[in-house]
Amino acid sequence: MDEETAKAVVLQWTSGATAEERGKFLSAFLDVIPLNEIQKVNNSLAPHCKKRKKYRRSEVNQGKFVRVPKPALSEPKCVPVPATPVPAPPTPVPVQPTPVPAPPTPVPVPNKPNPWWQQYSKANIYALDCEMVTKFVTGTRKRYRQELAEISICDFNEKMILKQKLVHHAPVSFLLDSKHREVTGFRQDSFVNGKPFNIIKTEVEELIAGKLIITCGGEGDFRALDIPMCCEEFQVFDLEWYFKREVENDR
């Protein structure tokens, strides 16, 4: 549909629409107009309003519209109203005092058990976070897989226990785009001097044994470490399990 046809369709619909429909259309139309153009629309409305008023006044003067004079209001007449006798006040009835009930006996509230994570001292609480790289896998239905690239562990006092431990990956063996490089800072030669995965995995297992590990979305971190997230050697407190809230974008 070209521009002239679209204008004609809009004008034809507007002439037959109700006032409410035209109002909704104008509201939606103004929502898509930039703010600097709304002032131009407002300035262009003033001449149209003056033109409509002038046209209306000329039609009245030409006799197309006849002004109907308002009927004169008749003066109100005073009609005497007989006085209504005032009844005598009722005889007061004595009010018996209402007995005040005794306060209810307080019900004892059982003590709430302490949360399970309070059994750990601050010295046994670690935070863990991993960064992964995407590698191409041949011979499987799932062609891409997230593998461990970097891991950091700190204690309760923010002291680094394992600082940016790198896993060896050969250059060009993983996918790396500009967005991933901007977020992580990884390059194709970042992991040339990294340690083998099995050595880092053993080191991490020894560090987190008997500890409370705090993560945020740690399921992917432990999957990349090839360590079960739920086991007897340590416990996990994932922030998403306890503090995740649904927002409008999640619906």
Side-chain angles (χ1 to χ4, degrees):
M1 182 184 295
D2 57 2
E3 182 178 356
E4 295 299 328
T5 306
K7 291 180 180 179
V9 171
V10 172
L11 292 175
Q12 183 178 1
W13 174 84
T14 305
S15 62
T18 63
E20 182 180 359
E21 291 173 342
R22 286 193 294 269
K24 291 182 179 179
F25 171 77
L26 287 175
S27 178
F29 180 71
L30 291 176
D31 287 341
V32 301
I33 295 179
L35 186 60
N36 58 345
E37 295 184 9
I38 293 180
Q39 185 61 36
K40 297 180 180 179
V41 174
N42 188 26
N43 295 338
S44 64
L45 287 177
H48 285 283
C49 292
K50 293 180 180 179
K51 184 178 179 181
R52 290 285 185 90
K53 290 181 179 179
K54 182 178 180 181
Y55 178 75
R56 182 76 175 181
R57 195 178 300 112
S58 63
E59 287 183 338
V60 172
N61 295 336
Q62 293 174 9
K64 293 184 179 180
F65 296 95
V66 179
R67 298 182 181 274
V68 179
K70 295 183 179 180
L73 299 178
S74 58
E75 296 181 0
K77 297 180 179 180
C78 297
V79 179
V81 178
T84 303
V86 179
T91 305
V93 179
V95 179
Q96 298 293 335
T98 304
V100 179
T105 305
V107 179
V109 179
N111 295 327
K112 293 183 179 180
N114 293 330
W116 61 269
W117 56 81
Q118 289 191 0
Q119 61 179 312
Y120 289 90
S121 62
K122 294 181 179 180
N124 291 325
I125 299 178
Y126 287 174
L128 178 147
D129 184 54
C130 296
E131 296 293 340
M132 276 74 76
V133 293
T134 304
K135 304 196 74 172
F136 182 80
V137 181
T138 58
T140 60
R141 295 183 63 183
K142 188 176 182 181
R143 302 180 60 187
Y144 298 97
R145 180 177 62 196
Q146 296 289 321
E147 293 189 6
L148 181 67
E150 182 183 80
I151 180 171
S152 300
I153 300 177
C154 67
D155 62 8
F156 190 86
N157 297 317
E158 302 182 8
K159 179 182 178 182
M160 299 304 299
I161 306 299
L162 196 66
K163 184 177 181 181
Q164 296 180 338
K165 207 70 170 181
L166 301 179
V167 182
H168 176 75
H169 293 285
V172 200
S173 64
F174 54 90
L175 302 179
L176 185 64
D177 54 14
S178 58
K179 185 65 177 179
H180 198 182
R181 188 185 303 110
E182 180 182 352
V183 174
T184 63
F186 293 163
R187 303 185 305 274
Q188 288 291 349
D189 59 348
S190 296
F191 310 103
V192 175
N193 299 323
K195 290 186 177 181
F197 171 77
N198 291 334
I199 295 178
I200 293 182
K201 176 184 175 182
T202 303
E203 187 177 355
V204 172
E205 288 176 333
E206 294 175 355
L207 285 174
I208 66 178
K211 301 294 192 296
L212 173 62
I213 307 301
I214 299 177
T215 62
C216 184
E219 184 177 356
D221 295 341
F222 282 98
R223 187 186 304 114
L225 285 166
D226 195 21
I227 298 175
M229 193 172 183
C230 300
C231 61
E232 298 180 355
E233 283 75 14
F234 59 89
Q235 290 195 7
V236 178
F237 185 101
D238 197 309
L239 298 177
E240 286 191 355
W241 296 349
Y242 297 92
F243 301 107
K244 185 176 181 180
R245 294 184 303 174
E246 185 184 66
V247 296
E248 186 175 355
N249 294 335
D250 293 335
R251 298 175 183 172

